[in-house]
Coordinates of all heavy atoms in Angstrom, one line a residue:
Chain D
A8 N 121.4 32.4 -60.1 CA 121.8 32.3 -61.5 C 121.7 33.7 -62.1 O 122.6 34.1 -62.9 CB 120.8 31.4 -62.3
I9 N 120.7 34.5 -61.7 CA 120.6 35.9 -62.2 C 121.8 36.7 -61.8 O 122.5 37.3 -62.6 CB 119.3 36.6 -61.7 CG1 118.1 35.9 -62.4 CG2 119.3 38.1 -62.0 CD1 116.8 36.4 -61.8
R10 N 122.1 36.6 -60.5 CA 123.3 37.3 -60.0 C 124.6 36.8 -60.7 O 125.4 37.7 -61.2 CB 123.4 36.9 -58.5 CG 124.5 37.6 -57.7 CD 125.7 36.8 -57.4 NE 125.6 35.4 -57.2 CZ 125.7 34.8 -56.0 NH1 125.8 35.5 -54.9 NH2 125.7 33.5 -55.9
D11 N 124.8 35.5 -60.9 CA 126.0 35.1 -61.6 C 126.0 35.5 -63.1 O 127.1 35.9 -63.6 CB 126.1 33.5 -61.5 CG 126.3 33.0 -60.1 OD1 126.7 33.9 -59.2 OD2 126.1 31.8 -59.8
D12 N 124.9 35.5 -63.7 CA 124.9 35.8 -65.1 C 125.1 37.3 -65.3 O 125.8 37.7 -66.2 CB 123.5 35.5 -65.8 CG 123.3 34.0 -66.0 OD1 124.4 33.3 -66.0 OD2 122.2 33.5 -66.3
I13 N 124.7 38.1 -64.4 CA 124.9 39.6 -64.4 C 126.4 39.8 -64.2 O 127.1 40.5 -64.9 CB 124.0 40.4 -63.5 CG1 122.6 40.3 -64.0 CG2 124.5 41.8 -63.3 CD1 121.6 40.9 -63.0
A14 N 126.9 39.1 -63.2 CA 128.3 39.3 -62.8 C 129.3 38.9 -63.9 O 130.3 39.5 -64.1 CB 128.7 38.6 -61.5
A15 N 128.8 37.9 -64.7 CA 129.7 37.4 -65.8 C 129.4 38.2 -67.1 O 130.1 37.9 -68.1 CB 129.4 35.9 -66.0
G16 N 128.5 39.1 -67.0 CA 128.2 39.9 -68.2 C 127.3 39.2 -69.3 O 127.2 39.6 -70.4
R17 N 126.7 38.0 -68.9 CA 125.8 37.4 -69.8 C 124.5 38.0 -69.9 O 123.7 37.8 -70.8 CB 125.7 35.9 -69.4 CG 127.0 35.0 -69.6 CD 126.8 33.6 -69.3 NE 126.5 33.3 -67.9 CZ 127.5 33.0 -67.0 NH1 128.7 32.9 -67.4 NH2 127.2 32.8 -65.7
L18 N 124.1 38.7 -68.8 CA 122.9 39.5 -68.8 C 123.1 40.8 -68.2 O 124.1 41.0 -67.4 CB 121.9 38.8 -67.7 CG 121.1 37.6 -68.1 CD1 120.3 37.2 -66.9 CD2 120.1 38.0 -69.2
S19 N 122.3 41.8 -68.6 CA 122.4 43.1 -67.9 C 121.3 43.2 -66.8 O 120.2 42.7 -67.0 CB 122.3 44.2 -68.9 OG 121.0 44.6 -69.2
A20 N 121.6 44.0 -65.8 CA 120.7 44.1 -64.7 C 119.4 44.9 -65.2 O 118.3 44.6 -64.8 CB 121.3 44.9 -63.6
V21 N 119.7 45.8 -66.2 CA 118.5 46.5 -66.7 C 117.6 45.6 -67.5 O 116.3 45.7 -67.4 CB 119.0 47.7 -67.6 CG1 117.9 48.3 -68.4 CG2 119.7 48.8 -66.7
E22 N 118.2 44.7 -68.3 CA 117.3 43.7 -69.0 C 116.5 42.9 -68.0 O 115.3 42.7 -68.3 CB 118.2 42.7 -69.7 CG 118.7 43.0 -71.1 CD 119.6 41.9 -71.6 OE1 120.8 41.8 -71.1 OE2 119.1 41.0 -72.3
V23 N 117.1 42.4 -67.0 CA 116.4 41.6 -66.0 C 115.3 42.4 -65.4 O 114.2 41.9 -65.2 CB 117.4 41.1 -65.0 CG1 116.6 40.3 -63.8 CG2 118.4 40.1 -65.6
C24 N 115.6 43.6 -65.0 CA 114.6 44.5 -64.4 C 113.4 44.8 -65.3 O 112.3 44.7 -64.9 CB 115.3 45.8 -64.0 SG 114.3 47.0 -63.1
R25 N 113.7 45.0 -66.6 CA 112.6 45.3 -67.5 C 111.7 44.1 -67.7 O 110.5 44.2 -67.7 CB 113.2 45.6 -68.9 CG 113.7 47.0 -69.1 CD 113.9 47.3 -70.6 NE 114.7 48.6 -70.7 CZ 114.3 49.8 -70.4 NH1 113.0 50.0 -70.0 NH2 115.1 50.8 -70.5
D26 N 112.3 42.9 -67.6 CA 111.6 41.7 -67.8 C 110.6 41.6 -66.6 O 109.5 41.2 -66.8 CB 112.6 40.5 -67.7 CG 112.2 39.4 -68.6 OD1 111.8 39.6 -69.7 OD2 112.2 38.3 -68.1
S27 N 111.2 41.8 -65.4 CA 110.3 41.7 -64.2 C 109.2 42.8 -64.3 O 108.0 42.4 -64.0 CB 111.3 42.0 -63.0 OG 110.5 42.2 -61.8
L28 N 109.5 44.0 -64.6 CA 108.5 45.0 -64.7 C 107.4 44.7 -65.7 O 106.2 44.9 -65.5 CB 109.1 46.4 -65.0 CG 110.1 46.9 -63.9 CD1 110.9 48.1 -64.4 CD2 109.3 47.4 -62.7
E29 N 107.8 44.2 -66.9 CA 106.8 43.8 -67.9 C 105.9 42.7 -67.4 O 104.7 42.7 -67.7 CB 107.5 43.4 -69.2 CG 107.9 44.5 -70.1 CD 108.8 44.1 -71.2 OE1 108.8 42.9 -71.6 OE2 109.7 44.9 -71.7
R30 N 106.5 41.8 -66.7 CA 105.7 40.7 -66.2 C 104.7 41.2 -65.2 O 103.5 40.7 -65.2 CB 106.7 39.7 -65.6 CG 106.1 38.3 -65.2 CD 106.6 37.2 -66.2 NE 106.0 36.0 -65.8 CZ 105.1 35.4 -66.5 NH1 104.7 35.9 -67.7 NH2 104.5 34.3 -66.1
I31 N 105.1 42.0 -64.3 CA 104.2 42.6 -63.3 C 103.1 43.3 -64.0 O 101.9 43.1 -63.7 CB 105.0 43.6 -62.4 CG1 106.0 42.8 -61.5 CG2 104.0 44.3 -61.5 CD1 107.0 43.7 -60.8
E32 N 103.4 44.2 -65.0 CA 102.3 44.9 -65.7 C 101.4 44.0 -66.4 O 100.2 44.3 -66.5 CB 103.0 45.9 -66.7 CG 103.3 47.2 -66.0 CD 104.3 48.1 -66.8 OE1 104.2 48.1 -68.0 OE2 105.1 48.8 -66.1
Q33 N 101.9 42.9 -67.0 CA 101.1 42.0 -67.7 C 100.1 41.2 -66.8 O 99.0 41.0 -67.1 CB 102.0 41.0 -68.4 CG 101.4 39.9 -69.2 CD 102.4 38.7 -69.4 OE1 103.6 38.9 -69.3 NE2 101.8 37.6 -69.7
L34 N 100.6 40.9 -65.6 CA 99.8 40.0 -64.7 C 99.0 40.8 -63.7 O 98.0 40.2 -63.1 CB 100.7 39.0 -64.0 CG 101.5 38.0 -64.9 CD1 102.5 37.2 -64.1 CD2 100.4 37.1 -65.6
N35 N 99.4 42.0 -63.3 CA 98.7 42.6 -62.2 C 97.2 42.8 -62.4 O 96.5 42.7 -61.4 CB 99.4 43.9 -61.8 CG 99.5 44.1 -60.3 OD1 99.7 43.1 -59.6 ND2 99.3 45.3 -59.8
P36 N 96.7 43.1 -63.6 CA 95.3 43.2 -63.8 C 94.5 42.0 -63.3 O 93.4 42.1 -62.8 CB 95.1 43.5 -65.3 CG 96.4 44.1 -65.7 CD 97.5 43.4 -64.8
S37 N 95.1 40.8 -63.5 CA 94.4 39.6 -63.2 C 94.8 39.1 -61.8 O 93.9 38.5 -61.1 CB 94.6 38.5 -64.2 OG 96.0 38.3 -64.3
L38 N 95.9 39.3 -61.3 CA 96.4 38.7 -60.0 C 96.4 39.7 -58.9 O 96.3 39.3 -57.7 CB 97.8 38.0 -60.2 CG 97.9 36.9 -61.2 CD1 99.3 36.4 -61.3 CD2 96.9 35.8 -60.9
N39 N 96.6 41.0 -59.2 CA 96.5 42.0 -58.1 C 97.6 41.8 -57.0 O 97.3 42.1 -55.9 CB 95.1 42.1 -57.5 CG 94.8 43.4 -56.8 OD1 95.4 44.5 -57.2 ND2 94.0 43.4 -55.8
A40 N 98.7 41.3 -57.4 CA 99.8 41.0 -56.4 C 100.5 42.3 -55.9 O 101.1 42.2 -54.9 CB 100.8 40.0 -57.0
F41 N 100.5 43.3 -56.7 CA 101.3 44.5 -56.4 C 100.4 45.7 -56.1 O 99.5 46.0 -56.8 CB 102.3 44.9 -57.5 CG 103.5 44.0 -57.6 CD1 103.4 42.7 -58.2 CD2 104.7 44.4 -57.0 CE1 104.5 41.9 -58.3 CE2 105.8 43.6 -57.1 CZ 105.7 42.3 -57.7
N42 N 100.7 46.4 -54.9 CA 100.1 47.6 -54.6 C 100.8 48.8 -55.4 O 100.2 49.8 -55.6 CB 100.1 47.9 -53.1 CG 99.2 47.0 -52.4 OD1 98.3 46.4 -52.9 ND2 99.4 47.0 -51.0
H43 N 102.1 48.6 -55.6 CA 102.8 49.7 -56.1 C 104.0 49.2 -56.9 O 104.6 48.2 -56.5 CB 103.3 50.6 -55.0 CG 104.3 51.6 -55.3 ND1 103.9 52.8 -56.0 CD2 105.7 51.7 -55.3 CE1 105.0 53.6 -56.2 NE2 106.1 52.9 -55.8
V44 N 104.3 49.7 -58.1 CA 105.4 49.3 -58.9 C 106.4 50.4 -59.0 O 106.0 51.5 -59.3 CB 105.0 48.8 -60.3 CG1 106.2 48.3 -61.1 CG2 103.9 47.8 -60.3
A45 N 107.6 50.1 -58.6 CA 108.7 51.2 -58.4 C 109.5 51.2 -59.7 O 110.7 51.1 -59.7 CB 109.5 50.9 -57.3
R46 N 108.8 51.5 -60.9 CA 109.5 51.3 -62.2 C 110.8 52.2 -62.3 O 111.9 51.6 -62.6 CB 108.5 51.7 -63.2 CG 109.0 51.4 -64.6 CD 108.0 51.8 -65.7 NE 108.6 51.5 -67.0 CZ 108.5 50.3 -67.5 NH1 107.8 49.4 -66.9 NH2 109.1 50.0 -68.6
D47 N 110.6 53.5 -62.2 CA 111.8 54.3 -62.5 C 112.9 54.1 -61.5 O 114.1 54.1 -61.9 CB 111.3 55.8 -62.5 CG 110.4 56.1 -63.6 OD1 110.2 55.3 -64.5 OD2 109.7 57.2 -63.5
R48 N 112.6 54.0 -60.3 CA 113.6 53.8 -59.2 C 114.3 52.4 -59.5 O 115.6 52.4 -59.4 CB 112.9 53.7 -57.9 CG 113.8 53.6 -56.7 CD 113.0 53.7 -55.4 NE 113.8 53.7 -54.2 CZ 114.3 52.6 -53.6 NH1 114.2 51.4 -54.3 NH2 115.0 52.7 -52.5
A49 N 113.6 51.4 -59.8 CA 114.2 50.1 -60.1 C 115.1 50.1 -61.3 O 116.3 49.6 -61.2 CB 113.1 49.0 -60.3
L50 N 114.6 50.7 -62.4 CA 115.5 50.8 -63.6 C 116.8 51.7 -63.3 O 117.9 51.3 -63.8 CB 114.7 51.4 -64.7 CG 113.7 50.5 -65.4 CD1 112.8 51.2 -66.3 CD2 114.4 49.3 -66.1
A51 N 116.6 52.7 -62.6 CA 117.8 53.6 -62.3 C 118.9 52.7 -61.5 O 120.0 52.8 -61.7 CB 117.4 54.8 -61.5
R52 N 118.3 52.0 -60.5 CA 119.3 51.2 -59.6 C 119.9 50.0 -60.4 O 121.0 49.6 -60.2 CB 118.5 50.7 -58.4 CG 118.3 52.0 -57.5 CD 117.7 51.7 -56.2 NE 117.5 52.9 -55.5 CZ 118.0 53.2 -54.3 NH1 118.6 52.3 -53.6 NH2 117.8 54.4 -53.8
A53 N 119.1 49.5 -61.3 CA 119.6 48.4 -62.2 C 120.7 48.9 -63.1 O 121.8 48.3 -63.2 CB 118.5 47.8 -63.0
A54 N 120.5 50.1 -63.6 CA 121.6 50.8 -64.4 C 122.9 51.0 -63.5 O 123.9 50.9 -64.0 CB 121.1 52.1 -64.9
D55 N 122.6 51.3 -62.3 CA 123.8 51.5 -61.4 C 124.6 50.2 -61.3 O 125.8 50.2 -61.3 CB 123.4 51.9 -59.9 CG 122.8 53.3 -59.9 OD1 123.1 54.1 -60.8 OD2 122.1 53.6 -58.9
V56 N 123.9 49.1 -61.2 CA 124.6 47.8 -61.1 C 125.3 47.5 -62.4 O 126.5 47.1 -62.3 CB 123.5 46.6 -60.9 CG1 124.2 45.3 -61.0 CG2 122.9 46.7 -59.5
D57 N 124.7 47.8 -63.5 CA 125.4 47.6 -64.8 C 126.7 48.4 -64.9 O 127.7 48.1 -65.4 CB 124.5 47.8 -66.0 CG 123.5 46.7 -66.1 OD1 123.7 45.5 -65.7 OD2 122.4 46.9 -66.7
R58 N 126.5 49.7 -64.4 CA 127.7 50.6 -64.5 C 128.8 50.1 -63.6 O 130.0 50.1 -63.9 CB 127.3 52.0 -64.1 CG 127.0 53.0 -65.3 CD 126.9 54.4 -64.8 NE 125.8 54.6 -63.8 CZ 124.5 54.8 -64.1 NH1 124.1 54.8 -65.4 NH2 123.7 55.0 -63.1
A59 N 128.4 49.7 -62.4 CA 129.4 49.2 -61.5 C 130.2 48.0 -62.1 O 131.4 47.9 -61.9 CB 128.7 48.8 -60.1
R60 N 129.4 47.2 -62.7 CA 130.1 46.0 -63.3 C 131.0 46.4 -64.5 O 132.2 46.0 -64.5 CB 129.0 45.0 -63.9 CG 129.7 43.7 -64.4 CD 128.9 42.9 -65.3 NE 129.8 41.9 -65.9 CZ 130.5 42.2 -67.0 NH1 130.3 43.3 -67.7 NH2 131.3 41.3 -67.5
A61 N 130.5 47.3 -65.3 CA 131.3 47.8 -66.4 C 132.6 48.4 -66.0 O 133.7 48.3 -66.6 CB 130.5 48.8 -67.3
S62 N 132.6 49.1 -64.8 CA 133.8 49.8 -64.3 C 134.6 48.9 -63.4 O 135.6 49.3 -62.7 CB 133.4 51.1 -63.6 OG 132.6 50.8 -62.5
G63 N 134.2 47.6 -63.3 CA 135.0 46.6 -62.6 C 134.8 46.8 -61.1 O 135.6 46.2 -60.3
G64 N 133.7 47.5 -60.6 CA 133.4 47.6 -59.2 C 133.0 46.3 -58.6 O 132.6 45.4 -59.3
A65 N 133.0 46.3 -57.3 CA 132.6 45.1 -56.6 C 131.0 45.0 -56.7 O 130.3 46.0 -56.6 CB 133.0 45.2 -55.1
L66 N 130.5 43.8 -56.9 CA 129.1 43.6 -56.9 C 128.6 42.8 -55.7 O 129.3 41.9 -55.3 CB 128.7 42.8 -58.2 CG 128.9 43.5 -59.5 CD1 128.5 42.6 -60.7 CD2 128.2 44.8 -59.6
G67 N 127.5 43.2 -55.1 CA 127.0 42.5 -53.9 C 126.4 41.1 -54.2 O 126.2 40.8 -55.4
P68 N 126.1 40.4 -53.2 CA 125.6 39.0 -53.4 C 124.2 38.9 -54.1 O 123.8 37.8 -54.5 CB 125.6 38.4 -52.0 CG 125.6 39.6 -51.1 CD 126.3 40.7 -51.8
L69 N 123.5 40.0 -54.2 CA 122.2 40.0 -54.8 C 122.2 41.1 -56.0 O 121.2 41.5 -56.4 CB 121.1 40.4 -53.9 CG 120.8 39.3 -52.8 CD1 119.8 39.9 -51.7 CD2 120.2 38.1 -53.4
A70 N 123.4 41.4 -56.5 CA 123.5 42.4 -57.5 C 122.5 42.1 -58.7 O 122.7 41.1 -59.4 CB 124.9 42.6 -58.0
G71 N 121.6 43.0 -58.9 CA 120.7 42.9 -60.1 C 119.5 42.0 -59.9 O 118.7 41.8 -60.9
V72 N 119.4 41.4 -58.8 CA 118.2 40.5 -58.6 C 116.9 41.2 -58.2 O 116.9 42.0 -57.3 CB 118.5 39.5 -57.4 CG1 117.4 38.6 -57.1 CG2 119.8 38.7 -57.8
P73 N 115.9 41.0 -59.0 CA 114.6 41.7 -58.7 C 113.9 41.1 -57.5 O 113.7 39.9 -57.5 CB 113.8 41.5 -60.0 CG 114.6 40.8 -61.0 CD 115.8 40.2 -60.2
V74 N 113.6 42.0 -56.5 CA 113.0 41.6 -55.3 C 111.7 42.4 -55.1 O 111.6 43.5 -55.4 CB 113.9 41.9 -54.1 CG1 113.3 41.6 -52.8 CG2 115.3 41.2 -54.2
A75 N 110.6 41.6 -54.7 CA 109.4 42.2 -54.4 C 109.2 42.3 -52.8 O 109.6 41.4 -52.1 CB 108.2 41.4 -54.9
L76 N 108.7 43.4 -52.3 CA 108.7 43.7 -50.9 C 107.2 43.7 -50.4 O 106.4 44.4 -51.0 CB 109.3 45.0 -50.5 CG 110.7 45.2 -50.6 CD1 111.0 46.6 -50.0 CD2 111.5 44.1 -49.9
K77 N 106.9 43.0 -49.4 CA 105.5 43.1 -48.8 C 105.3 44.6 -48.4 O 106.2 45.2 -47.9 CB 105.4 42.2 -47.6 CG 104.0 42.1 -47.0 CD 104.0 41.1 -45.9 CE 102.7 40.9 -45.3 NZ 102.7 39.8 -44.2
D78 N 104.1 45.0 -48.6 CA 103.8 46.5 -48.5 C 103.7 46.9 -47.0 O 103.1 47.9 -46.7 CB 102.6 46.9 -49.3 CG 102.5 48.4 -49.5 OD1 103.6 49.0 -49.4 OD2 101.4 48.9 -49.9

Side-chain angles (χ1 to χ4, degrees):
Chain D
I9 290 171
R10 184 261 323 258
D11 291 345
D12 285 348
I13 288 171
R17 292 187 291 268
L18 275 180
S19 83
V21 168
E22 275 178 280
V23 175
C24 184
R25 280 193 197 288
D26 214 50
S27 170
L28 294 167
E29 274 170 29
R30 191 108 181 109
I31 295 168
E32 273 165 32
Q33 177 201 340
L34 293 174
N35 221 38
S37 55
L38 300 178
N39 199 29
F41 283 81
N42 285 346
H43 173 75
V44 183
R46 186 182 184 85
D47 294 346
R48 185 178 184 280
L50 286 169
R52 290 184 180 233
D55 289 343
V56 169
D57 287 336
R58 262 194 302 276
R60 188 198 164 270
S62 64
L66 296 181
L69 291 170
V72 174
V74 178
L76 294 186
K77 187 175 182 177
D78 202 14

